[in-house]
């Protein structure tokens, strides 16, 4: 079974010697070259007539089995046959029958094996390779050892495994290790048999970066160092590793290598304990388990640190990690951390069709200044439950992806300089969901570096009180919903116009303290049991309503309100209201403008729907403060033309107390108040008293200052949150 968790291949410098030796293969290391011809009977190794020298090869000969000849040789003699080196061409094969043994490379002359064909070791047969010196290259060939057969490797040296198969489902084979042997590349495939064994009282086996050991059986040489992949890929039987040098019992740390358990992978050296830290390691569990030496304990059950490492769960419906608490903490934290190393750190937790409960806190972060990446990835209906707090900290290089899956955090969530994406990578795929039972803090990591919460493609998210910092972003798109209690915004909140999205504040106010809120057409922000309050902050608060803003009261105590959408409720203007596009701004309730309020209307023509700003009010009107009219797009009204700027269904109280009206061609505007509307009519300019120069200048410049600053900040904040 091919592993999904195969590590990246790395060339090993030690193989330069092997490559050089093979390049010089024409210069024999031994007495002579003996080529197979198969003239006599095409198969029998023991018949001299099958060899070009008319004699069977000896212990110092180079043996060549070439496909140009009848290239099928069978070693079928009782006892041991020794040769100096063996070169098998592509398409050729050698079979070592029962009771026969072939020793390639006697002790005084290290072996060279260049196999591009096939070597078969039958039941009771044995192939011995001396891998010291120039080593063994089987990279393009296959060695298959039948159940009951033996492959013996004698080091020190490297074995390029190519494809090496041990045993069958019915019976296991043996790999005998003597001395230090490095499995430099290729795959060592153990059959699905518990009888497979890798052994050697003095054997020190290293599974290098580009190599894989997979299947079932018992790995019990004197020591095993795993830098490549150990894969328990058998269907019915486990892969048991007795002595693993990657394991440090003192720190409960598994360092280096990749481990894939599609069946049970038992690390006996861990004893009955559990792994606390993964360091520079990759662990994948699919349908099996990573088991401690007692044969039953989940070796990851107390995992606390995933440091520059990855943990991937596939098809694990119920998996629980209870991270070990650090005294005096009452609960532990599972920390996913990527920190500086020469290649940039990477750490990840990935779930595919799996369910994981972290019985404690979960932290996902990067440390340092290099290109470090820390990732949580939920795919294909997975469920991640965190019974404590969830935190992410980074400089825009930490991401939690919830794709077609569910994230449930029972504590508080703090997202600092990072991204949380609730959605689907496939627009037609099922939606995702996130439930945050505690507070959600979308925090800035540093000046100009904020965090982002994206809810996309029909997905939903719920949380308690929400805090969105100055450079941080909340973005809803693709028909998604976010429901929260009180919401305090200093950053950017966007409901994209590509589809209908819904942001609901269920208990408390939505306070736009110093932030930007963009509601595109078709989108709705609803404050169910509170008000929408925009305060002055540093003077940059900004709300753009092209969709619907629904609240009992929308209160402007600072900043600017723009847009031609609907205010579903009462609007209290103590700041600046500038509908803007131009066109009609709809208010279903009352409109109240205080002394500090200013209404700015843009005129570019005579059509109230598309060419000049006006307010349609479904309740009462109470007026004070200023009115400003701006002409743009070269529009110059003519004498007698009228513009309905306010209409209402209730009553009118008060009037504007300051005016900033343009003059043009000796004309200006005069106010006409009727029972349910106010009009401005073009009339000859008079010397009507105007507000003081200071007040007029302030009222003239303030909207432009606020609106320009808000628009600029909206662009900067959105670009920063998207890494532009």
């Amino acid at each position: 079974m091919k592993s999904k968790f195969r590590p990246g291949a790395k060339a090993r410098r030690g193989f330069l010697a092997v490559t050089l030796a093979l390049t010089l293969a024409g210069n024999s290391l031994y007495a002579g070259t003996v080529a197979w011809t198969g003239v006599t009977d095409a198969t029998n190794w023991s018949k001299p007539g099958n060899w070009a020298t008319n004699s069977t090869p000896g212990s110092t000969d180079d043996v060549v089995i070439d496909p140009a000849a009848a290239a099928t040789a069978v070693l079928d003699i009782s006892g041991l046959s020794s040769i100096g080196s063996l070169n098998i061409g592509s398409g050729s094969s050698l079979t070592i029958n029962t009771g026969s043994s072939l020793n390639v490379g006697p002790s005084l002359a290290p072996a060279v094996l260049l196999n591009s064909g096939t070597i078969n070791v039958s039941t009771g047969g044995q192939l011995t390779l001396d891998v010291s010196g120039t080593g063994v290259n089987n990279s393009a060939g296959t060695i298959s050892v039948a159940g009951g057969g033996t492959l013996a490797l004698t080091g020190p040296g490297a074995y390029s495994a190519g494809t090496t198969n041990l045993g069958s489902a019915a019976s296991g084979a043996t790999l005998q290790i003597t001395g230090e042997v490095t499995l430099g590349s290729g795959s060592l495939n153990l059959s699905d048999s518990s009888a497979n064994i890798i052994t050697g009282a003095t054997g020190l086996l290293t599974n290098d970066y580009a190599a894989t050991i997979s299947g079932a059986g018992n790995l019990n040489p004197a020591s095993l160092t795993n830098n490549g992949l150990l894969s328990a890929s058998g269907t019915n039987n486990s892969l048991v590793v007795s002595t693993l040098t990657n394991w440090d019992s003192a720190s409960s740390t598994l360092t280096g290598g990749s481990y894939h358990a599609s069946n049970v992978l038992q690390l006996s050296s861990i004893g009955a304990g559990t792994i606390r830290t993964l360091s520079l390691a990759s662990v994948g569990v699919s349908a099996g388990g990573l088991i401690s030496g007692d044969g039953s304990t989940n070796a990851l059950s107390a995992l606390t640190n995933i440091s520059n490492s990855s943990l991937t769960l596939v098809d694990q419906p119920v998996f629980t990690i209870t991270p070990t608490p650090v005294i005096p903490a009452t609960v532990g934290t599972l920390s996913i951390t990527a920190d500086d190393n020469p290649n940039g750190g990477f750490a990840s937790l990935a779930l595919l069709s799996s369910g994981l409960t972290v019985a404690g806190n979960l932290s996902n972060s990067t440390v340092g200044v290099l290109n470090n990446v820390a990732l949580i990835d939920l795919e294909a209906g997975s469920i991640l439950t965190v019974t404590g707090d969830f935190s992410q900290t980074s400089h825009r290089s930490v991401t939690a992806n919830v794709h077609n899956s569910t994230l449930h955090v029972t504590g508080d969530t703090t997202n600092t300089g990072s991204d949380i994406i609730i959605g689907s990578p496939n627009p037609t795929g099922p939606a995702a969901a996130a439930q945050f039972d505690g507070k959600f803090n979308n925090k800035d990591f540093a000046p100009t570096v904020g965090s982002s919460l994206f809810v996309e493609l029909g997905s939903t998210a719920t949380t308690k009180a929400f805090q969105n910092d100055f450079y941080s972003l909340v973005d809803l798109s693709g028909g998604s919903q976010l429901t929260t209690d009180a919401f305090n915004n200093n950053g950017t909140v966007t409901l994209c116009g590509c589809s209908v999205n819904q942001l609901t504040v269920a208990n408390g106010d939505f306070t736009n303290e110093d932030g930007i809120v963009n509601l595109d057409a078709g989108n709705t922000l609803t404050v169910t049991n509170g008000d929408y309050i925009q305060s002055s902050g540093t003077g940059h608060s900004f709300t753009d309503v092209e969709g619907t803003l629904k609240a009992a009261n929308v209160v402007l105590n600072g900043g600017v309100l723009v847009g031609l959408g609907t205010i579903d409720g009462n609007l209290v203007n103590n700041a600046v209201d500038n509908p803007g596009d131009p066109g009609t701004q709809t208010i279903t309730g009352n409109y109240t403008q205080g002394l500090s309020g200013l209404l700015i209307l843009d005129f570019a023509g005579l059509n109230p729907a598309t060419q000049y700003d006006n307010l349609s009010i479904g309740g009462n009107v109470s007026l004070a403060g200023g009115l400003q009219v701006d002409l743009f797009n070269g529009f110059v009204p003519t004498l007698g033309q009228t513009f309905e700027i306010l209409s209402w269904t209730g009553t009118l109280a008060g009037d504007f107390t300051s005016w900033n009206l343009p003059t043009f061609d000796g004309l200006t505007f005069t106010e006409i108040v009727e029972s349910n509307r106010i009009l401005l009519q073009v009339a000859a300019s008079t010397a009507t008293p105007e507000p003081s120069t200071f007040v007029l200048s302030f009222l003239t410049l303030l909207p432009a200052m606020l609106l320009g600053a808000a628009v600029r900040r909206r662009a900067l904040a959105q670009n920063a949150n998207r890494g532009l």
Side-chain angles (χ1 to χ4, degrees):
M1 170 178 173
K2 188 174 181 180
S3 170
K4 296 180 183 177
F5 303 94
R6 182 178 179 86
K10 292 186 178 179
R12 184 166 178 84
R13 288 192 299 271
F15 279 91
L16 290 175
V18 175
T19 304
L20 178 61
L22 295 175
T23 303
L24 300 175
N27 300 322
S28 174
L29 297 172
Y30 305 102
T33 299
V34 179
W36 172 264
T37 63
V39 171
T40 300
D41 63 9
T43 60
N44 196 328
W45 176 291
S46 302
K47 290 186 178 182
N50 285 325
W51 299 96
T53 58
N54 204 32
S55 63
T56 57
S59 61
T60 60
D61 289 328
D62 297 334
V63 174
V64 177
I65 302 177
D66 192 291
T72 301
V74 178
L75 179 60
D76 192 7
I77 60 172
S78 226
L80 173 65
S81 180
S82 296
I83 59 175
S85 70
L86 179 61
N87 186 332
I88 300 179
S90 176
S92 301
S93 67
L94 168 65
T95 298
I96 302 172
N97 272 349
T98 302
S100 300
S101 297
L102 178 63
N103 188 345
V104 182
S107 59
L108 296 180
V112 173
L113 171 67
L114 180 57
N115 179 32
S116 299
T118 301
I119 299 176
N120 299 306
V121 181
S122 302
T123 301
Q126 178 168 323
L127 173 63
T128 301
L129 302 175
D130 186 335
V131 301
S132 59
T134 52
V136 173
N137 191 326
N138 185 48
S139 59
T142 299
I143 297 177
S144 296
V145 184
T150 300
L151 172 63
L153 303 177
T154 301
Y159 173 60
S160 178
T163 301
T164 301
N165 304 313
L166 294 184
S168 64
S171 60
T174 298
L175 173 59
Q176 178 74 41
I177 304 294
T178 302
E180 297 182 16
V181 175
T182 297
L183 185 63
S185 63
S187 299
L188 177 58
N189 304 315
L190 283 66
S191 65
D192 190 13
S193 171
S194 60
N196 288 314
I197 185 169
I198 299 178
T199 187
T202 63
L204 307 177
L205 178 61
T206 297
N207 189 42
D208 221 350
Y209 298 99
T212 297
I213 299 175
S214 65
N218 294 277
L219 279 59
N220 59 359
S223 73
L224 172 64
T225 299
N226 180 41
N227 297 320
L229 173 62
L230 286 180
S231 176
S233 58
T235 303
N236 301 306
N237 294 286
S238 306
L239 184 64
V240 180
V241 181
S242 296
T243 304
L244 187 65
T245 64
N246 304 70
W247 170 247
D248 179 12
S249 59
S251 62
S252 298
T253 299
L254 182 65
T255 301
S258 296
Y259 308 84
H260 174 207
S262 57
N263 203 309
V264 173
L265 176 57
Q266 180 176 331
L267 303 181
S268 298
S269 55
I270 295 179
T274 53
I275 299 169
R276 303 286 192 269
T277 299
L278 295 177
S279 176
L280 299 171
S282 175
V283 175
V285 180
S286 63
L290 193 65
I291 304 299
S292 298
D294 62 359
S296 60
T297 303
N298 175 8
L300 300 170
S301 62
L303 186 64
T304 302
N305 298 295
I306 302 175
S307 177
N308 290 323
S309 301
S310 63
L311 172 61
T312 302
L313 304 180
V314 179
D315 297 326
Q316 292 289 298
V318 180
F319 200 99
T320 300
I321 293 175
T322 306
T324 305
V326 178
I327 305 298
T330 56
V331 296
T333 297
L334 174 59
S335 298
I336 305 165
T337 306
D339 58 22
D340 286 349
N341 67 60
N343 298 315
F346 177 81
S348 69
L349 171 65
L351 307 183
L352 180 65
S353 301
S354 295
L356 170 63
T357 297
V358 178
N361 303 321
L362 177 61
S363 170
N364 189 32
S365 63
T366 62
V367 179
V369 297
L370 294 179
N371 296 321
N372 305 316
V373 175
L375 174 67
I376 295 175
D377 194 21
L378 311 183
E379 305 285 349
S382 294
I383 301 173
L384 173 60
T385 301
V386 181
T387 65
D389 297 335
F390 173 44
S391 62
Q392 293 199 137
T393 304
S394 178
H395 192 281
R396 308 297 303 173
S397 57
V398 165
T399 302
N401 292 322
V402 184
H403 292 157
N404 318 129
S405 298
T406 300
L407 171 63
H408 183 195
V409 180
T410 61
D412 293 338
T413 298
T414 303
N415 190 37
T416 305
S418 308
D419 295 335
I420 297 178
I421 303 172
I422 315 298
S424 169
N426 182 354
T428 62
Q435 179 179 333
F436 304 99
D437 293 344
K439 299 177 181 178
F440 194 109
N441 298 305
N442 217 27
K443 297 184 65 176
D444 294 344
F445 179 82
T448 74
V449 180
S451 299
S452 298
L453 171 65
F454 295 96
V455 188
E456 305 173 336
L457 297 172
S459 299
T460 61
T462 60
T463 181
K464 296 294 183 183
F466 199 108
Q467 172 67 42
N468 195 41
D469 275 5
F470 193 85
Y471 290 100
S472 295
L473 170 69
V474 176
D475 186 286
L476 274 64
S477 63
S480 298
Q481 299 181 39
L482 171 62
T483 301
T484 178
D485 286 349
F487 196 117
N488 187 56
N489 181 46
N490 288 299
T492 301
V493 177
T494 298
L495 278 67
C496 293
C498 47
S499 55
V500 177
N501 303 287
Q502 173 74 51
L503 171 57
T504 301
V505 180
N507 291 292
D509 298 332
F510 187 109
T511 302
N512 191 30
E513 184 175 339
D514 203 18
I516 298 167
V517 177
N518 297 312
L519 303 179
D520 288 350
N523 294 272
T524 303
L525 191 162
T526 301
V527 184
T528 303
N529 294 307
D531 296 332
Y532 182 95
I533 302 172
Q534 181 165 286
S535 57
S536 57
T538 59
H540 295 158
S541 50
F542 179 92
T543 299
D544 182 356
V545 180
E546 307 297 339
T548 300
L549 174 55
K550 182 176 183 179
N553 299 289
V554 175
V555 182
L556 304 179
N557 290 327
V560 180
L561 169 67
V562 302
L564 303 181
T566 298
I567 306 299
D568 191 354
N570 303 318
L571 175 59
V572 179
N573 180 19
N574 296 314
V576 177
D577 182 13
N578 177 204
D581 277 344
T584 301
Q585 183 183 87
T586 301
I587 303 163
T588 64
N590 303 323
Y591 178 72
T592 301
Q593 182 166 305
L595 284 171
S596 60
L598 175 64
L599 177 62
I600 301 176
L601 303 177
D602 296 332
F603 285 13
L606 298 176
N607 187 334
T610 59
Q611 292 184 311
Y612 73 87
D613 287 339
N614 60 97
L615 272 57
S616 175
I617 301 159
N620 303 322
V621 175
S622 177
L623 295 178
L627 172 66
Q628 174 178 317
V629 173
D630 293 329
L631 303 179
F632 73 105
N633 283 351
F635 175 61
V636 179
T638 59
L639 184 67
Q641 290 179 332
T642 59
F643 302 83
E644 181 185 287
I645 61 171
L646 274 76
S647 63
W648 59 87
T649 61
T651 61
L652 171 67
D655 198 357
F656 299 109
T657 55
S658 61
W659 304 77
N660 183 17
L661 304 177
T663 58
F664 43 91
D665 298 337
L667 304 174
T668 189
F669 292 101
T670 61
E671 180 188 41
I672 300 174
V673 179
E674 298 181 352
S675 61
N676 63 348
R677 64 178 185 167
I678 293 177
L679 297 87
L680 292 181
Q681 186 175 54
V682 180
S685 178
T686 64
T688 303
E690 297 181 352
S692 70
T693 302
F694 172 80
V695 173
L696 182 58
S697 298
F698 176 77
L699 290 174
T700 302
L701 295 175
L702 175 64
M705 293 166 58
L706 290 174
L707 185 57
V711 170
R712 286 193 301 274
R713 180 170 165 265
R714 171 171 60 175
L716 288 172
Q718 290 174 332
N719 288 343
N721 275 285
R722 289 168 172 80
L724 300 177

